[in-house]
Amino acid sequence: MLLPVLSSACYTDQYWFELERQKIFGSLWIFIGLKQQLQQENDFITRTVGGVPVLVQNINGELRAFRNTCTHKGMPIQTQLYGNRKLLCPYHGWSFHGDGRLRGIPNEHIYNICNRSELNLKQLGIETVGNFIFINISEKPFPIENQLSEQLRSCLEIVSKHFDSRVSYTTFTGRYNWKLNFENILDWNHVPFVHSKTFSPIVNYAAALPKNKESTKTVDEGTQEKPTSPFRDIDFRTPIHRRDEVLLHDINWISRVSLEYHGRWYTKFLENIFDKGHLFGCHIFPNFNFGSLHGETFYLQQYDPLAPDLTNFHSWVFTSKIKEELPPQPHLLWGIHHAEKRVIDEDRVLLEAMQASLLNAGTMGVLGDYEHRQHTMARWYMQNLAGKEAMK
């Protein structure tokens, strides 16, 4: 058994929520969207990261990230979650160049502007790994390589090559702390109990179980990758973290377990099934979960904190590349997303109940040995938000 590291206050109190905004979401690289969503000139997506409104837009084929506020009155430049529109404030018509410089002001003479250079949009750090877009809202972003290991970045680049261009996206709220969602994703032991009729029947659960107390191997023992496997150079073992100091690389995980393969009705529509017989998963701190079933379908989840007890859940689903000669298949994405939402809702009901119980909880429960990843994450959290002294 492992002793808890986080107190219930870390999930319920405004004090810890504000620290998270500053030291996690205001400092780390945060996933913001997919390149598939920004294929055309002036395609955009908007989000809020650490309380900061963020805009990512396709400018002449290059992705740029800005604070989504006009420098006149603070009006959002783009008011929708996604769309296609120039950098034009909808309130007073101020327009901006692709690099954020102020371009034009209708009736400029009535403003008596002294220094136009002070009215440019604020640019933010942006990086892409394969089709995945990350932004950093800090003044001096650190290299993304310090957060995402070479193996993790390689996995994201490998799978990106197989993405279809069409994506289904939705968002909704859950009344629980965002950390409960991240911990839940890492807790594979809940699957047969919570998702007994949805996700559990798909997974080769026995193969995912560790073979002994010290085993953390997440691929079947004795399995050797074929030379043609796209993941032949990736080590999916998850070592138990034993160092005193926890690094960012230590709280991101990739996994891959065997699944029995059965072709689906839509398999004939796909160009290539690149990872047949496997469930691939990628979990990036603080709030990103991505995976694929057989390399046929992909799911992506993100949970943005709105308040200590309120989370904005983002959900994307898409398939591997559909054959070029076929028309779009919106019914296919609808069906996949409907099934994905059933699984998400099964978790949401329990996470909301858990959040309610934490309000009056003096201490957190113990962790099982299999929950060493949650324990490692909690140690990083306390070291970086409360300081190393808090861990003694």
Side-chain angles (χ1 to χ4, degrees):
M1 301 292 283
L2 300 168
L3 295 177
V5 177
L6 303 184
S7 68
S8 59
C10 295
Y11 300 83
T12 60
D13 286 8
Q14 189 69 23
Y15 170 79
W16 289 100
F17 178 76
E18 295 299 336
L19 274 182
E20 291 169 356
R21 279 191 164 186
Q22 175 188 351
K23 296 190 176 184
I24 297 178
F25 295 94
S27 172
L28 302 184
W29 288 95
I30 305 297
F31 173 77
I32 202 77
L34 293 162
K35 282 186 179 181
Q36 295 105 297
Q37 298 174 278
L38 300 168
Q39 298 180 70
Q40 305 299 322
E41 170 76 3
N42 287 321
D43 279 353
F44 69 83
I45 52 178
T46 64
R47 296 284 295 278
T48 299
V49 176
V52 175
V54 171
L55 163 67
V56 177
Q57 187 148 333
N58 181 331
I59 307 292
N60 297 321
E62 181 180 353
L63 300 184
R64 298 286 184 91
F66 304 98
R67 186 183 177 101
N68 188 26
T69 51
C70 179
T71 47
H72 174 211
K73 301 284 283 186
M75 179 72 187
I77 298 295
Q78 309 293 9
T79 59
Q80 303 299 312
L81 286 175
Y82 55 88
N84 183 284
R85 187 175 172 276
K86 293 182 178 181
L87 292 173
L88 179 68
C89 178
Y91 197 18
H92 295 98
W94 286 32
S95 61
F96 298 85
H97 290 285
D99 60 1
R101 288 180 296 115
L102 179 62
R103 181 177 185 176
I105 304 175
N107 304 313
E108 185 170 352
H109 66 280
I110 68 174
Y111 289 91
N112 192 25
I113 299 295
C114 297
N115 189 348
R116 287 172 62 98
S117 64
E118 295 179 351
L119 299 174
N120 300 332
L121 297 180
K122 178 178 176 56
Q123 292 203 51
L124 303 174
I126 184 169
E127 293 281 356
T128 59
V129 182
N131 277 36
F132 300 85
I133 307 167
F134 296 85
I135 62 103
N136 191 307
I137 66 173
S138 66
E139 291 294 329
K140 295 182 179 179
F142 59 83
I144 196 170
E145 293 80 8
N146 293 1
Q147 182 174 337
L148 309 183
S149 69
E150 182 179 356
Q151 283 213 120
L152 194 155
R153 299 195 311 275
S154 179
C155 280
L156 296 182
E157 289 166 356
I158 288 170
V159 296
S160 292
K161 296 175 183 178
H162 302 273
F163 292 174
D164 191 62
S165 60
R166 286 147 290 206
V167 177
S168 176
Y169 167 76
T170 189
T171 182
F172 47 89
T173 57
R175 302 207 65 84
Y176 54 80
N177 186 272
W178 66 274
K179 293 188 293 297
L180 293 180
N181 227 139
F182 191 78
E183 294 166 355
N184 178 69
I185 293 299
L186 297 176
D187 186 356
W188 45 263
N189 191 41
H190 84 281
V191 173
F193 307 103
V194 180
H195 310 299
S196 59
K197 296 182 179 179
T198 52
F199 189 53
S200 185
I202 301 173
V203 181
N204 186 352
Y205 187 70
L209 287 170
K211 302 299 185 288
N212 54 64
K213 182 178 179 180
E214 289 295 320
S215 174
T216 58
K217 193 170 175 60
T218 53
V219 228
D220 293 333
E221 288 191 1
T223 298
Q224 190 168 8
E225 293 290 349
K226 297 179 181 178
T228 56
S229 168
F231 296 116
R232 59 185 176 275
D233 297 323
I234 305 297
D235 184 359
F236 286 95
R237 290 173 297 180
T238 302
I240 296 177
H241 189 274
R242 302 187 188 281
R243 297 192 309 272
D244 289 337
E245 184 178 9
V246 182
L247 306 178
L248 275 172
H249 284 190
D250 299 323
I251 53 174
N252 298 319
W253 294 276
I254 50 178
S255 61
R256 188 162 173 259
V257 297
S258 294
L259 298 179
E260 187 175 350
Y261 179 75
H262 299 285
R264 305 297 182 95
W265 63 268
Y266 52 78
T267 301
K268 60 185 177 183
F269 299 153
L270 308 177
E271 282 188 3
N272 179 38
I273 305 170
F274 81 97
D275 198 28
K276 184 184 293 186
H278 292 96
L279 167 66
F280 166 77
C282 174
H283 320 293
I284 299 178
F285 186 83
N287 62 343
F288 172 100
N289 176 46
F290 167 74
S292 77
L293 293 169
H294 307 293
E296 285 186 333
T297 60
F298 302 90
Y299 60 89
L300 201 159
Q301 304 167 353
Q302 190 174 34
Y303 7 97
D304 288 337
L306 299 177
D309 61 350
L310 190 64
T311 294
N312 195 15
F313 194 110
H314 301 266
S315 173
W316 298 255
V317 300
F318 45 99
T319 67
S320 61
K321 291 179 180 178
I322 292 178
K323 294 175 181 177
E324 290 185 5
E325 64 271 20
L326 295 177
Q329 307 288 324
H331 58 293
L332 169 56
L333 288 181
W334 182 91
I336 296 171
H337 219 158
H338 181 74
E340 168 78 352
K341 185 64 163 53
R342 280 188 64 194
V343 176
I344 292 170
D345 284 343
E346 289 171 341
D347 284 325
R348 180 166 57 165
V349 169
L350 296 185
L351 295 182
E352 290 182 343
M354 194 184 309
Q355 180 70 32
S357 72
L358 289 175
L359 287 173
N360 299 311
T363 59
M364 300 291 289
V366 297
L367 300 174
D369 287 350
Y370 81 94
E371 296 171 286
H372 62 92
R373 294 190 295 182
Q374 292 92 321
H375 191 261
T376 301
M377 183 275 286
R379 289 168 54 206
W380 182 93
Y381 181 98
M382 291 302 293
Q383 287 174 6
N384 286 273
L385 272 67
K388 295 180 181 179
E389 293 299 317
M391 297 297 297
K392 294 182 179 180

